[in-house]
Amino acid sequence: MKYYIIAGEASGDLHGSNLIKALRTEDTHAEIRFWGGDLMQRAGGTLVKHYKSLAFMGFLEVLLNLATIFKNIKFCKNDISDFKPDALIFIDYSGFNLRIAKWAKEQNFRTNYYISPQVWASRARRIKKIKRDIDAMYVILPFEKEFYEAHNFSVHFVGHPLLDAIANRTAADPLKFRKINELHLEKPIIALLPGSRKQEVQKMLNLMLSITHYFKDYQFVIAGAPSLEKDFYNTFLTLPNVAFVSNKTYDLLSVSHAALVTSGTATLETAMFNVPQVVCYKANWLSYHIAKRIITLEYISLVNLIMKKEVVKELIQNELSTNNLKLELEKILSEPHRSSQIAAYKLLKEKLGGTGASATAAKLIVQNTRDSGSLNSKSTS
C-alpha cells in the first residue's frame, strides 16, 4: 500500500523514522512518501520537504511567514493528489496538518493522526475538526485517551515512542563520549537543552549561560539541535567551561548530572534518562500574552502534566531569570530535591507504558487501512 506521512519538526522526524520502519515490517510492499527529515529518509521512502524549511515558532513568526506556509499547503495538496496514498499519516505539527486533513477528508483519503495535537492544552474546540476530519487517532500520553473519550471520540493509546527511541539506541561509552567531544573527563556535566528553533535558542541560551560562572566545578554542555548548523552556536561558545555537542542529545543526557531544559518533548526525554532538570520557557511578549489567554493548563512540562503535580520546577517568562535559574539548579544538585525528582521519574515511566508504540501504531494503521476497503480506491499499488 501507499503511505503519505507529514512531520514538520525534529521530534516528528525521530518518531516518523521509527514508524516507517514499523510500517515496512507490517507491509513489506509499503511505498512511502513523506515530509520530515534525515532520520525518516534513512528509514526509507521519498523525502518531499525537509522540516528545516517548515519550522516557524510563535504567533508573530507564523504571521510573518504566511505566504510561505500557504504555498507549502498548496504544494502538499497537489503532491498528495498525484501520489494517491491509501493512508495519510499526520505526526503532530497541528497548524499545518489539520488544514491538510480537512481537505484530505473531503477528497476521501483515509486520515490517521499519530501523536495528537495538543488540543487538551488550548483551543479545545479543535476537537470538532479532529472528529470530522480524522478517521483514526493514535495517542501517546495516557491522559489524552481520557480527554478524547470525554469528548466522545474513541482513540488508541499506543504508548510513548520515546521509550522505543531510547531503548533502541546504541548506548554511548561515557569516557569515550567525553574524549571524542573534547569534554572535561572528570567534571559532572550540566546539559543545556535550549530548543530546536533559532528563535527559541536565541532567547534561551543567553539566560542559561548567565549562571555558568556560579558552578565552576561543573561543565556546561550545549545540546545542538539537528535542525541548526554548528556555526549558529559559535557566538554562545565564548565562555569558559562551556562546550558543545551536535545532534547527540541522548548520548549527552546519558552522561549528565543535571539539565536546564526548554519546555517541550525534551523535558520528557530528560526524565527518561533520570536527569534532574529545571524547565525553562520564554517567548516574545506578543506570543506569550496570546498563549497565556488560550492555554488552560496548570503546567507546561510533559513531566508535570503526566504526573498531575509539580515534579520539576518550571520557570516561565519573567520568572526565568539568572537568579532563579541559579537557585533552582542548586536545589537539584543536592538533596532532597535530587532524589525526589529521580523517584518521581520511575512512576512517570510506569504511566507511559512499555516499549512498542511505533510497532503498535503501524500495525493498527495497516490493519485499519485494509479493513476500511480503501485499498485500490485511490491507488493501484
Side-chain angles (χ1 to χ4, degrees):
M1 292 189 292
K2 290 183 174 182
Y3 306 88
Y4 197 104
I5 306 173
I6 304 175
E9 298 169 308
S11 61
D13 181 37
L14 170 63
H15 303 319
S17 68
N18 288 324
L19 183 65
I20 287 174
K21 295 171 187 175
L23 283 171
R24 292 193 175 283
T25 298
E26 289 295 323
D27 180 0
T28 55
H29 299 291
E31 186 177 346
I32 300 172
R33 192 169 174 85
F34 63 88
W35 294 43
D38 299 341
L39 296 177
M40 291 174 74
Q41 191 165 27
R42 286 199 287 271
T46 301
L47 174 64
V48 180
K49 285 267 189 180
H50 201 290
Y51 69 80
K52 289 181 181 180
S53 67
L54 307 173
F56 303 113
M57 179 191 175
F59 298 98
L60 180 60
E61 290 80 8
V62 169
L63 286 173
L64 293 174
N65 289 280
L66 276 178
T68 299
I69 292 169
F70 284 123
K71 183 178 178 180
N72 285 337
I73 289 172
K74 182 179 180 180
F75 174 83
C76 185
K77 291 176 180 178
N78 290 335
D79 197 54
I80 291 170
S81 295
D82 291 340
F83 185 59
K84 297 180 174 61
D86 295 291
L88 266 168
I89 304 169
F90 305 108
I91 300 179
D92 201 0
Y93 196 47
S94 63
F96 186 91
N97 276 334
L98 286 177
R99 288 178 179 271
I100 298 298
K102 180 179 184 296
W103 167 86
K105 189 64 176 176
E106 292 169 350
Q107 304 303 310
N108 295 317
F109 288 105
R110 180 158 182 83
T111 55
N112 301 268
Y113 221 120
Y114 177 49
I115 306 179
S116 167
Q118 294 181 352
V119 291
W120 38 267
S122 65
R123 293 177 289 163
R125 65 183 181 276
R126 288 180 294 171
I127 197 169
K128 294 181 180 178
K129 297 179 181 179
I130 290 171
K131 291 170 70 173
R132 180 192 66 200
D133 300 329
I134 302 301
D135 292 309
M137 173 72 74
Y138 310 93
V139 301
I140 63 174
L141 299 169
F143 63 79
E144 289 178 319
K145 184 174 177 65
E146 301 168 9
F147 171 85
Y148 276 111
E149 291 184 347
H151 287 82
N152 300 312
F153 187 51
S154 180
V155 302
H156 306 277
F157 173 59
V158 297
H160 205 294
L162 276 181
L163 299 177
D164 292 330
I166 292 171
N168 295 334
R169 62 183 281 273
T170 301
D173 176 83
L175 183 58
K176 185 177 180 181
F177 177 77
R178 286 174 180 259
K179 287 181 177 179
I180 289 175
N181 292 283
E182 300 180 350
L183 307 181
H184 197 284
L185 298 183
E186 296 179 357
K187 284 185 177 182
I189 290 173
I190 297 174
L192 304 180
L193 279 62
S196 60
R197 301 183 183 96
K198 283 187 177 181
Q199 296 101 321
E200 65 183 348
V201 172
Q202 288 168 336
K203 287 183 178 73
M204 304 307 300
L205 259 184
N206 282 327
L207 271 167
M208 291 179 173
L209 293 172
S210 69
I211 66 169
T212 58
H213 64 283
Y214 293 113
F215 300 89
K216 295 180 180 179
D217 292 333
Y218 296 85
Q219 176 158 46
F220 290 80
V221 183
I222 300 169
S227 56
L228 300 175
E229 300 296 329
K230 184 182 182 301
D231 289 348
F232 168 75
Y233 293 92
N234 286 341
T235 56
F236 303 102
L237 299 176
T238 57
L239 294 173
N241 208 31
V242 175
F244 174 82
V245 173
S246 180
N247 197 19
K248 293 289 182 182
T249 301
Y250 285 3
D251 289 345
L252 174 59
L253 287 173
S254 72
V255 298
S256 293
H257 192 67
L260 305 181
V261 187
T262 296
S263 177
T265 305
T267 63
L268 198 56
E269 292 173 314
T270 303
M272 293 301 99
F273 282 92
N274 291 322
V275 179
Q277 63 183 297
V278 180
V279 176
C280 310
Y281 177 80
K282 192 163 193 173
N284 67 56
W285 185 90
L286 177 63
S287 294
Y288 172 72
H289 283 279
I290 292 175
K292 190 176 179 180
R293 284 162 174 75
I294 64 174
I295 294 176
T296 57
L297 298 176
E298 186 175 358
Y299 304 109
I300 63 169
S301 71
L302 286 172
V303 174
N304 292 343
L305 285 168
I306 295 168
M307 295 299 291
K308 298 180 180 179
K309 65 178 183 179
E310 186 181 78
V311 170
V312 297
K313 181 64 178 180
E314 300 176 351
L315 295 177
I316 305 171
Q317 207 65 7
N318 292 334
E319 291 180 352
L320 181 58
S321 64
T322 298
N323 187 57
N324 286 343
L325 266 179
K326 173 180 175 291
L327 291 174
E328 295 302 329
L329 180 55
E330 286 173 342
K331 288 179 183 178
I332 62 171
L333 291 175
S334 57
E335 301 298 342
H337 290 83
R338 183 173 183 82
S339 294
S340 177
Q341 271 199 28
I342 293 173
Y345 289 163
K346 182 179 179 181
L347 298 175
L348 173 71
K349 292 173 188 176
E350 292 175 2
K351 285 180 175 287
L352 289 174
T355 57
S358 303
T360 300
K363 184 175 182 178
L364 288 169
I365 290 170
V366 171
Q367 177 183 309
N368 291 339
T369 302
R370 285 173 174 158
D371 291 348
S372 71
S374 65
L375 184 59
N376 293 323
S377 66
K378 288 286 178 184
S379 73
T380 58
S381 62

PDB file of all heavy atoms in Angstrom, residues 36-67:
ATOM      1  N   GLY A  36       9.530  15.367   6.262  1.00  0.00           N
ATOM      2  CA  GLY A  36      10.222  15.018   7.500  1.00  0.00           C
ATOM      3  C   GLY A  36      11.665  15.453   7.457  1.00  0.00           C
ATOM      4  O   GLY A  36      11.975  16.585   7.085  1.00  0.00           O
ATOM      5  N   GLY A  37      12.554  14.528   7.841  1.00  0.00           N
ATOM      6  CA  GLY A  37      13.963  14.891   7.900  1.00  0.00           C
ATOM      7  C   GLY A  37      14.889  13.746   7.583  1.00  0.00           C
ATOM      8  O   GLY A  37      14.487  12.735   6.987  1.00  0.00           O
ATOM      9  N   ASP A  38      16.138  13.885   8.034  1.00  0.00           N
ATOM     10  CA  ASP A  38      17.179  12.931   7.688  1.00  0.00           C
ATOM     11  C   ASP A  38      16.909  11.538   8.253  1.00  0.00           C
ATOM     12  O   ASP A  38      17.205  10.530   7.605  1.00  0.00           O
ATOM     13  CB  ASP A  38      18.535  13.433   8.210  1.00  0.00           C
ATOM     14  CG  ASP A  38      18.931  14.768   7.591  1.00  0.00           C
ATOM     15  OD1 ASP A  38      18.377  15.118   6.534  1.00  0.00           O
ATOM     16  OD2 ASP A  38      19.778  15.465   8.181  1.00  0.00           O
ATOM     17  N   LEU A  39      16.367  11.466   9.465  1.00  0.00           N
ATOM     18  CA  LEU A  39      16.112  10.160  10.081  1.00  0.00           C
ATOM     19  C   LEU A  39      15.048   9.390   9.307  1.00  0.00           C
ATOM     20  O   LEU A  39      15.188   8.185   9.069  1.00  0.00           O
ATOM     21  CB  LEU A  39      15.679  10.335  11.541  1.00  0.00           C
ATOM     22  CG  LEU A  39      16.707  10.942  12.484  1.00  0.00           C
ATOM     23  CD1 LEU A  39      16.105  11.133  13.876  1.00  0.00           C
ATOM     24  CD2 LEU A  39      17.946  10.061  12.567  1.00  0.00           C
ATOM     25  N   MET A  40      14.000  10.067   8.887  1.00  0.00           N
ATOM     26  CA  MET A  40      12.963   9.424   8.099  1.00  0.00           C
ATOM     27  C   MET A  40      13.500   9.001   6.737  1.00  0.00           C
ATOM     28  O   MET A  40      13.162   7.932   6.220  1.00  0.00           O
ATOM     29  CB  MET A  40      11.764  10.357   7.939  1.00  0.00           C
ATOM     30  CG  MET A  40      10.993  10.589   9.233  1.00  0.00           C
ATOM     31  SD  MET A  40       9.672  11.816   9.105  1.00  0.00           S
ATOM     32  CE  MET A  40       8.449  10.885   8.174  1.00  0.00           C
ATOM     33  N   GLN A  41      14.380   9.818   6.196  1.00  0.00           N
ATOM     34  CA  GLN A  41      14.956   9.486   4.897  1.00  0.00           C
ATOM     35  C   GLN A  41      15.815   8.230   4.981  1.00  0.00           C
ATOM     36  O   GLN A  41      15.778   7.372   4.099  1.00  0.00           O
ATOM     37  CB  GLN A  41      15.783  10.664   4.373  1.00  0.00           C
ATOM     38  CG  GLN A  41      16.197  10.518   2.910  1.00  0.00           C
ATOM     39  CD  GLN A  41      16.683  11.821   2.322  1.00  0.00           C
ATOM     40  OE1 GLN A  41      17.184  12.693   3.041  1.00  0.00           O
ATOM     41  NE2 GLN A  41      16.536  11.983   1.030  1.00  0.00           N
ATOM     42  N   ARG A  42      16.548   8.098   6.088  1.00  0.00           N
ATOM     43  CA  ARG A  42      17.360   6.898   6.259  1.00  0.00           C
ATOM     44  C   ARG A  42      16.506   5.655   6.489  1.00  0.00           C
ATOM     45  O   ARG A  42      16.922   4.541   6.164  1.00  0.00           O
ATOM     46  CB  ARG A  42      18.342   7.090   7.429  1.00  0.00           C
ATOM     47  CG  ARG A  42      19.511   8.016   7.100  1.00  0.00           C
ATOM     48  CD  ARG A  42      20.662   7.829   8.069  1.00  0.00           C
ATOM     49  NE  ARG A  42      20.378   8.377   9.379  1.00  0.00           N
ATOM     50  CZ  ARG A  42      20.642   9.637   9.742  1.00  0.00           C
ATOM     51  NH1 ARG A  42      21.190  10.468   8.869  1.00  0.00           N
ATOM     52  NH2 ARG A  42      20.377  10.055  10.952  1.00  0.00           N
ATOM     53  N   ALA A  43      15.312   5.863   7.037  1.00  0.00           N
ATOM     54  CA  ALA A  43      14.414   4.729   7.280  1.00  0.00           C
ATOM     55  C   ALA A  43      13.802   4.211   5.986  1.00  0.00           C
ATOM     56  O   ALA A  43      13.331   3.074   5.938  1.00  0.00           O
ATOM     57  CB  ALA A  43      13.323   5.128   8.267  1.00  0.00           C
ATOM     58  N   GLY A  44      13.803   5.032   4.952  1.00  0.00           N
ATOM     59  CA  GLY A  44      13.309   4.593   3.653  1.00  0.00           C
ATOM     60  C   GLY A  44      12.123   5.405   3.189  1.00  0.00           C
ATOM     61  O   GLY A  44      11.321   5.865   3.998  1.00  0.00           O
ATOM     62  N   GLY A  45      12.024   5.583   1.885  1.00  0.00           N
ATOM     63  CA  GLY A  45      10.938   6.369   1.323  1.00  0.00           C
ATOM     64  C   GLY A  45      11.455   7.598   0.607  1.00  0.00           C
ATOM     65  O   GLY A  45      12.662   7.821   0.489  1.00  0.00           O
ATOM     66  N   THR A  46      10.533   8.404   0.111  1.00  0.00           N
ATOM     67  CA  THR A  46      10.878   9.587  -0.677  1.00  0.00           C
ATOM     68  C   THR A  46      10.600  10.849   0.121  1.00  0.00           C
ATOM     69  O   THR A  46       9.460  11.106   0.531  1.00  0.00           O
ATOM     70  CB  THR A  46      10.056   9.620  -1.984  1.00  0.00           C
ATOM     71  OG1 THR A  46      10.318   8.434  -2.731  1.00  0.00           O
ATOM     72  CG2 THR A  46      10.426  10.834  -2.813  1.00  0.00           C
ATOM     73  N   LEU A  47      11.640  11.638   0.356  1.00  0.00           N
ATOM     74  CA  LEU A  47      11.504  12.899   1.088  1.00  0.00           C
ATOM     75  C   LEU A  47      10.987  13.980   0.145  1.00  0.00           C
ATOM     76  O   LEU A  47      11.572  14.235  -0.905  1.00  0.00           O
ATOM     77  CB  LEU A  47      12.855  13.316   1.671  1.00  0.00           C
ATOM     78  CG  LEU A  47      12.930  14.689   2.350  1.00  0.00           C
ATOM     79  CD1 LEU A  47      12.028  14.725   3.579  1.00  0.00           C
ATOM     80  CD2 LEU A  47      14.367  15.026   2.733  1.00  0.00           C
ATOM     81  N   VAL A  48       9.875  14.619   0.527  1.00  0.00           N
ATOM     82  CA  VAL A  48       9.263  15.668  -0.285  1.00  0.00           C
ATOM     83  C   VAL A  48       9.738  17.040   0.176  1.00  0.00           C
ATOM     84  O   VAL A  48      10.209  17.855  -0.607  1.00  0.00           O
ATOM     85  CB  VAL A  48       7.719  15.593  -0.197  1.00  0.00           C
ATOM     86  CG1 VAL A  48       7.087  16.695  -1.051  1.00  0.00           C
ATOM     87  CG2 VAL A  48       7.231  14.229  -0.636  1.00  0.00           C
ATOM     88  N   LYS A  49       9.603  17.313   1.494  1.00  0.00           N
ATOM     89  CA  LYS A  49      10.031  18.585   2.073  1.00  0.00           C
ATOM     90  C   LYS A  49      10.727  18.304   3.398  1.00  0.00           C
ATOM     91  O   LYS A  49      10.266  17.480   4.186  1.00  0.00           O
ATOM     92  CB  LYS A  49       8.826  19.497   2.348  1.00  0.00           C
ATOM     93  CG  LYS A  49       8.214  20.139   1.123  1.00  0.00           C
ATOM     94  CD  LYS A  49       8.800  21.509   0.871  1.00  0.00           C
ATOM     95  CE  LYS A  49       8.029  22.236  -0.234  1.00  0.00           C
ATOM     96  NZ  LYS A  49       8.595  23.572  -0.495  1.00  0.00           N
ATOM     97  N   HIS A  50      11.832  18.997   3.633  1.00  0.00           N
ATOM     98  CA  HIS A  50      12.558  18.837   4.893  1.00  0.00           C
ATOM     99  C   HIS A  50      11.966  19.779   5.938  1.00  0.00           C
ATOM    100  O   HIS A  50      11.625  20.924   5.633  1.00  0.00           O
ATOM    101  CB  HIS A  50      14.034  19.155   4.697  1.00  0.00           C
ATOM    102  CG  HIS A  50      14.927  18.558   5.742  1.00  0.00           C
ATOM    103  ND1 HIS A  50      14.941  19.005   7.047  1.00  0.00           N
ATOM    104  CD2 HIS A  50      15.823  17.521   5.686  1.00  0.00           C
ATOM    105  CE1 HIS A  50      15.817  18.290   7.743  1.00  0.00           C
ATOM    106  NE2 HIS A  50      16.358  17.387   6.947  1.00  0.00           N
ATOM    107  N   TYR A  51      11.851  19.288   7.176  1.00  0.00           N
ATOM    108  CA  TYR A  51      11.247  20.101   8.230  1.00  0.00           C
ATOM    109  C   TYR A  51      12.027  21.389   8.515  1.00  0.00           C
ATOM    110  O   TYR A  51      11.484  22.355   9.059  1.00  0.00           O
ATOM    111  CB  TYR A  51      11.069  19.294   9.522  1.00  0.00           C
ATOM    112  CG  TYR A  51      12.348  18.919  10.237  1.00  0.00           C
ATOM    113  CD1 TYR A  51      13.006  19.841  11.054  1.00  0.00           C
ATOM    114  CD2 TYR A  51      12.903  17.648  10.124  1.00  0.00           C
ATOM    115  CE1 TYR A  51      14.178  19.506  11.715  1.00  0.00           C
ATOM    116  CE2 TYR A  51      14.063  17.306  10.787  1.00  0.00           C
ATOM    117  CZ  TYR A  51      14.704  18.232  11.580  1.00  0.00           C
ATOM    118  OH  TYR A  51      15.871  17.909  12.230  1.00  0.00           O
ATOM    119  N   LYS A  52      13.300  21.426   8.154  1.00  0.00           N
ATOM    120  CA  LYS A  52      14.092  22.633   8.395  1.00  0.00           C
ATOM    121  C   LYS A  52      13.503  23.850   7.670  1.00  0.00           C
ATOM    122  O   LYS A  52      13.689  24.985   8.101  1.00  0.00           O
ATOM    123  CB  LYS A  52      15.535  22.421   7.951  1.00  0.00           C
ATOM    124  CG  LYS A  52      16.328  21.475   8.829  1.00  0.00           C
ATOM    125  CD  LYS A  52      17.763  21.350   8.330  1.00  0.00           C
ATOM    126  CE  LYS A  52      18.569  20.391   9.184  1.00  0.00           C
ATOM    127  NZ  LYS A  52      19.965  20.249   8.711  1.00  0.00           N
ATOM    128  N   SER A  53      12.809  23.608   6.580  1.00  0.00           N
ATOM    129  CA  SER A  53      12.214  24.713   5.819  1.00  0.00           C
ATOM    130  C   SER A  53      10.800  25.036   6.276  1.00  0.00           C
ATOM    131  O   SER A  53      10.152  25.923   5.719  1.00  0.00           O
ATOM    132  CB  SER A  53      12.188  24.352   4.323  1.00  0.00           C
ATOM    133  OG  SER A  53      11.293  23.268   4.079  1.00  0.00           O
ATOM    134  N   LEU A  54      10.327  24.327   7.311  1.00  0.00           N
ATOM    135  CA  LEU A  54       8.942  24.484   7.746  1.00  0.00           C
ATOM    136  C   LEU A  54       8.795  25.075   9.139  1.00  0.00           C
ATOM    137  O   LEU A  54       7.687  25.396   9.551  1.00  0.00           O
ATOM    138  CB  LEU A  54       8.237  23.112   7.741  1.00  0.00           C
ATOM    139  CG  LEU A  54       8.300  22.300   6.445  1.00  0.00           C
ATOM    140  CD1 LEU A  54       7.712  20.911   6.680  1.00  0.00           C
ATOM    141  CD2 LEU A  54       7.560  23.011   5.338  1.00  0.00           C
ATOM    142  N   ALA A  55       9.891  25.177   9.891  1.00  0.00           N
ATOM    143  CA  ALA A  55       9.812  25.489  11.321  1.00  0.00           C
ATOM    144  C   ALA A  55       9.643  26.988  11.575  1.00  0.00           C
ATOM    145  O   ALA A  55      10.583  27.762  11.443  1.00  0.00           O
ATOM    146  CB  ALA A  55      11.063  24.979  12.033  1.00  0.00           C
ATOM    147  N   PHE A  56       8.423  27.373  11.934  1.00  0.00           N
ATOM    148  CA  PHE A  56       8.147  28.746  12.341  1.00  0.00           C
ATOM    149  C   PHE A  56       7.543  28.702  13.731  1.00  0.00           C
ATOM    150  O   PHE A  56       6.543  28.023  13.964  1.00  0.00           O
ATOM    151  CB  PHE A  56       7.175  29.424  11.371  1.00  0.00           C
ATOM    152  CG  PHE A  56       7.660  29.412   9.949  1.00  0.00           C
ATOM    153  CD1 PHE A  56       6.992  28.675   8.979  1.00  0.00           C
ATOM    154  CD2 PHE A  56       8.789  30.117   9.582  1.00  0.00           C
ATOM    155  CE1 PHE A  56       7.436  28.647   7.672  1.00  0.00           C
ATOM    156  CE2 PHE A  56       9.256  30.098   8.275  1.00  0.00           C
ATOM    157  CZ  PHE A  56       8.578  29.361   7.316  1.00  0.00           C
ATOM    158  N   MET A  57       8.133  29.432  14.665  1.00  0.00           N
ATOM    159  CA  MET A  57       7.740  29.343  16.077  1.00  0.00           C
ATOM    160  C   MET A  57       7.031  30.603  16.539  1.00  0.00           C
ATOM    161  O   MET A  57       7.504  31.708  16.316  1.00  0.00           O
ATOM    162  CB  MET A  57       8.980  29.101  16.944  1.00  0.00           C
ATOM    163  CG  MET A  57       8.672  29.016  18.432  1.00  0.00           C
ATOM    164  SD  MET A  57      10.192  29.056  19.386  1.00  0.00           S
ATOM    165  CE  MET A  57       9.526  29.099  21.045  1.00  0.00           C
ATOM    166  N   GLY A  58       5.892  30.447  17.197  1.00  0.00           N
ATOM    167  CA  GLY A  58       5.199  31.580  17.793  1.00  0.00           C
ATOM    168  C   GLY A  58       4.239  32.265  16.833  1.00  0.00           C
ATOM    169  O   GLY A  58       4.334  32.124  15.612  1.00  0.00           O
ATOM    170  N   PHE A  59       3.306  33.021  17.384  1.00  0.00           N
ATOM    171  CA  PHE A  59       2.261  33.655  16.583  1.00  0.00           C
ATOM    172  C   PHE A  59       2.829  34.689  15.620  1.00  0.00           C
ATOM    173  O   PHE A  59       2.430  34.759  14.459  1.00  0.00           O
ATOM    174  CB  PHE A  59       1.235  34.316  17.518  1.00  0.00           C
ATOM    175  CG  PHE A  59       0.530  33.333  18.417  1.00  0.00           C
ATOM    176  CD1 PHE A  59       0.958  33.146  19.721  1.00  0.00           C
ATOM    177  CD2 PHE A  59      -0.535  32.578  17.956  1.00  0.00           C
ATOM    178  CE1 PHE A  59       0.306  32.243  20.557  1.00  0.00           C
ATOM    179  CE2 PHE A  59      -1.180  31.667  18.770  1.00  0.00           C
ATOM    180  CZ  PHE A  59      -0.756  31.497  20.069  1.00  0.00           C
ATOM    181  N   LEU A  60       3.766  35.506  16.107  1.00  0.00           N
ATOM    182  CA  LEU A  60       4.334  36.555  15.262  1.00  0.00           C
ATOM    183  C   LEU A  60       5.113  35.954  14.102  1.00  0.00           C
ATOM    184  O   LEU A  60       4.979  36.407  12.951  1.00  0.00           O
ATOM    185  CB  LEU A  60       5.240  37.461  16.107  1.00  0.00           C
ATOM    186  CG  LEU A  60       5.905  38.626  15.356  1.00  0.00           C
ATOM    187  CD1 LEU A  60       4.833  39.536  14.755  1.00  0.00           C
ATOM    188  CD2 LEU A  60       6.807  39.410  16.296  1.00  0.00           C
ATOM    189  N   GLU A  61       5.932  34.934  14.385  1.00  0.00           N
ATOM    190  CA  GLU A  61       6.737  34.310  13.345  1.00  0.00           C
ATOM    191  C   GLU A  61       5.864  33.667  12.271  1.00  0.00           C
ATOM    192  O   GLU A  61       6.171  33.719  11.079  1.00  0.00           O
ATOM    193  CB  GLU A  61       7.677  33.255  13.959  1.00  0.00           C
ATOM    194  CG  GLU A  61       8.808  33.842  14.798  1.00  0.00           C
ATOM    195  CD  GLU A  61       8.349  34.233  16.203  1.00  0.00           C
ATOM    196  OE1 GLU A  61       7.198  33.908  16.575  1.00  0.00           O
ATOM    197  OE2 GLU A  61       9.139  34.863  16.922  1.00  0.00           O
ATOM    198  N   VAL A  62       4.759  33.061  12.696  1.00  0.00           N
ATOM    199  CA  VAL A  62       3.828  32.455  11.732  1.00  0.00           C
ATOM    200  C   VAL A  62       3.226  33.536  10.839  1.00  0.00           C
ATOM    201  O   VAL A  62       3.138  33.374   9.616  1.00  0.00           O
ATOM    202  CB  VAL A  62       2.719  31.665  12.471  1.00  0.00           C
ATOM    203  CG1 VAL A  62       1.604  31.278  11.504  1.00  0.00           C
ATOM    204  CG2 VAL A  62       3.300  30.420  13.110  1.00  0.00           C
ATOM    205  N   LEU A  63       2.810  34.647  11.434  1.00  0.00           N
ATOM    206  CA  LEU A  63       2.221  35.726  10.647  1.00  0.00           C
ATOM    207  C   LEU A  63       3.194  36.261   9.600  1.00  0.00           C
ATOM    208  O   LEU A  63       2.807  36.558   8.466  1.00  0.00           O
ATOM    209  CB  LEU A  63       1.789  36.869  11.580  1.00  0.00           C
ATOM    210  CG  LEU A  63       0.530  36.626  12.429  1.00  0.00           C
ATOM    211  CD1 LEU A  63       0.330  37.757  13.416  1.00  0.00           C
ATOM    212  CD2 LEU A  63      -0.696  36.482  11.536  1.00  0.00           C
ATOM    213  N   LEU A  64       4.454  36.357   9.983  1.00  0.00           N
ATOM    214  CA  LEU A  64       5.461  36.891   9.068  1.00  0.00           C
ATOM    215  C   LEU A  64       5.781  35.935   7.918  1.00  0.00           C
ATOM    216  O   LEU A  64       6.354  36.345   6.904  1.00  0.00           O
ATOM    217  CB  LEU A  64       6.752  37.213   9.841  1.00  0.00           C
ATOM    218  CG  LEU A  64       6.656  38.359  10.854  1.00  0.00           C
ATOM    219  CD1 LEU A  64       7.946  38.476  11.653  1.00  0.00           C
ATOM    220  CD2 LEU A  64       6.330  39.680  10.156  1.00  0.00           C
ATOM    221  N   ASN A  65       5.400  34.677   8.090  1.00  0.00           N
ATOM    222  CA  ASN A  65       5.726  33.685   7.059  1.00  0.00           C
ATOM    223  C   ASN A  65       4.477  33.043   6.448  1.00  0.00           C
ATOM    224  O   ASN A  65       4.534  31.942   5.905  1.00  0.00           O
ATOM    225  CB  ASN A  65       6.616  32.588   7.662  1.00  0.00           C
ATOM    226  CG  ASN A  65       8.015  33.079   7.958  1.00  0.00           C
ATOM    227  OD1 ASN A  65       8.861  33.178   7.076  1.00  0.00           O
ATOM    228  ND2 ASN A  65       8.258  33.404   9.220  1.00  0.00           N
ATOM    229  N   LEU A  66       3.360  33.757   6.499  1.00  0.00           N
ATOM    230  CA  LEU A  66       2.094  33.199   5.987  1.00  0.00           C
ATOM    231  C   LEU A  66       2.163  32.834   4.509  1.00  0.00           C
ATOM    232  O   LEU A  66       1.621  31.798   4.091  1.00  0.00           O
ATOM    233  CB  LEU A  66       0.961  34.207   6.217  1.00  0.00           C
ATOM    234  CG  LEU A  66       0.300  34.178   7.598  1.00  0.00           C
ATOM    235  CD1 LEU A  66      -0.764  35.253   7.689  1.00  0.00           C
ATOM    236  CD2 LEU A  66      -0.296  32.806   7.878  1.00  0.00           C
ATOM    237  N   ALA A  67       2.828  33.658   3.708  1.00  0.00           N
ATOM    238  CA  ALA A  67       2.897  33.378   2.268  1.00  0.00           C
ATOM    239  C   ALA A  67       3.581  32.045   2.005  1.00  0.00           C
ATOM    240  O   ALA A  67       3.109  31.233   1.194  1.00  0.00           O
ATOM    241  CB  ALA A  67       3.641  34.502   1.549  1.00  0.00           C
TER     242      ALA A  67
END
